[in-house]
Amino acid sequence: MSLKIKLVSFALCPFVQRSVILLREKQIVFELEYIDLDQPPEWFLRLSPTGKVPLLLVDDAVLFESSVILDFLDERFPPRFHPSDILKRAQHKSWIEYGSTLLMGMYGMAMATDRETFIEKKASLERDIERLAEPLESGLFGEEGVFTLVDAAIAPLFMRLHYHKEFHQEGEVQMPASVSQWAARLLNRPSVQASVVDDFADRYGAFLVEKKSWLLMQSG
């Protein structure tokens, strides 16, 4: 018996994007509904105890928190993208959580309204991204070309950093060569390219302008 899967999202949310990437990698049939988080519908507030996205509706059940949703989708629908080894699987989950820390660091940088804060936040993010190099180069994240849940969790970060560089030259975040190559591979992956709305770049740029991001204030 097939399950009815519906993902509730905000069009620019990187945490929701993780779930979309995985759903597409597994070729799961699903419905995707975008809401306005500034004015969320009442039905959403009734279902989401945190008032945040992503929200995954599985028949009549409700799941929230992106890492939980990733785990459920991976356990319920083949193929499995988590390692079979218990310890390695736990390590992957740890780095997925670290990916959430990186996303928040990226958001803090993007929201900076002056150059001094932007440069400070960017330097901090660059130091944090450097920590990805060792597990990546050691093979912990899997073989090159073999998709894992870590890929799904980190790809939204790389996509936004790509657009920051497009918006303005000072938006370029320096990364170790291995991490930069990883980012390029993920951004070329069909599931990642199809995980956002068609006009994502325009919407994301408009969002940063609305928030008076220093990065976008310089791009004009």
Side-chain angles (χ1 to χ4, degrees):
M1 180 176 169
S2 61
L3 297 174
K4 182 180 179 181
I5 303 293
K6 179 176 180 179
L7 185 64
V8 182
S9 172
F10 165 56
L12 300 179
C13 178
F15 294 98
V16 174
Q17 188 182 357
R18 291 173 161 183
S19 301
V20 178
I21 292 170
L22 186 57
L23 285 161
R24 296 199 180 283
E25 284 287 342
K26 289 178 175 285
Q27 299 182 10
I28 300 170
V29 175
F30 69 102
E31 179 184 353
L32 179 59
E33 179 171 351
Y34 294 111
I35 64 169
D36 182 354
L37 281 182
D38 291 330
Q39 294 182 318
E42 290 185 8
W43 64 262
F44 171 77
L45 295 177
R46 287 196 305 270
L47 293 176
S48 175
T50 64
K52 300 176 183 178
V53 292
L55 197 69
L56 189 73
L57 308 181
V58 185
D59 287 341
D60 295 326
V62 179
L63 297 177
F64 49 95
E65 298 298 341
S66 65
S67 60
V68 174
I69 292 172
L70 290 180
D71 276 349
F72 166 75
L73 292 174
D74 198 53
E75 291 178 12
R76 177 60 178 78
F77 299 96
R80 294 292 299 272
F81 293 131
H82 254 328
S84 57
D85 179 82
I86 295 174
L87 178 57
K88 285 187 177 179
R89 187 160 66 245
Q91 288 178 297
H92 275 216
K93 290 182 179 183
S94 295
W95 284 104
I96 288 171
E97 290 303 316
Y98 186 69
S100 299
T101 299
L102 293 177
L103 283 170
M104 296 310 296
M106 177 277 299
Y107 183 79
M109 181 191 75
M111 291 296 103
T113 56
D114 61 84
R115 186 176 186 275
E116 181 180 1
T117 303
F118 178 84
I119 296 300
E120 176 187 332
K121 297 286 188 181
K122 184 169 84 165
S124 177
L125 180 61
E126 288 175 341
R127 289 192 296 270
D128 290 342
I129 286 176
E130 283 182 9
R131 299 184 72 94
L132 294 171
E134 192 281 326
L136 175 64
E137 294 166 10
S138 71
L140 176 62
F141 296 161
E143 300 176 11
E144 183 177 324
V146 178
F147 187 83
T148 71
L149 263 65
V150 176
D151 292 320
I154 298 292
L157 170 75
F158 292 148
M159 179 175 284
R160 283 152 186 78
L161 294 182
H162 166 76
Y163 285 119
H164 291 172
K165 181 174 62 176
E166 293 290 309
F167 293 148
H168 189 267
Q169 60 184 9
E170 287 206 65
E172 182 172 6
V173 168
Q174 298 300 316
M175 296 183 280
S178 59
V179 178
S180 181
Q181 292 162 7
W182 182 28
R185 291 195 300 271
L186 288 179
L187 292 180
N188 283 325
R189 200 168 184 93
S191 64
V192 174
Q193 294 177 350
S195 63
V196 293
V197 291
D198 292 339
D199 59 346
F200 177 83
D202 291 338
R203 289 198 194 196
Y204 187 46
F207 173 77
L208 294 182
V209 168
E210 179 186 347
K211 298 299 182 181
K212 296 181 170 52
S213 163
W214 178 84
L215 181 65
L216 265 291
M217 294 299 101
Q218 307 312 304
S219 65

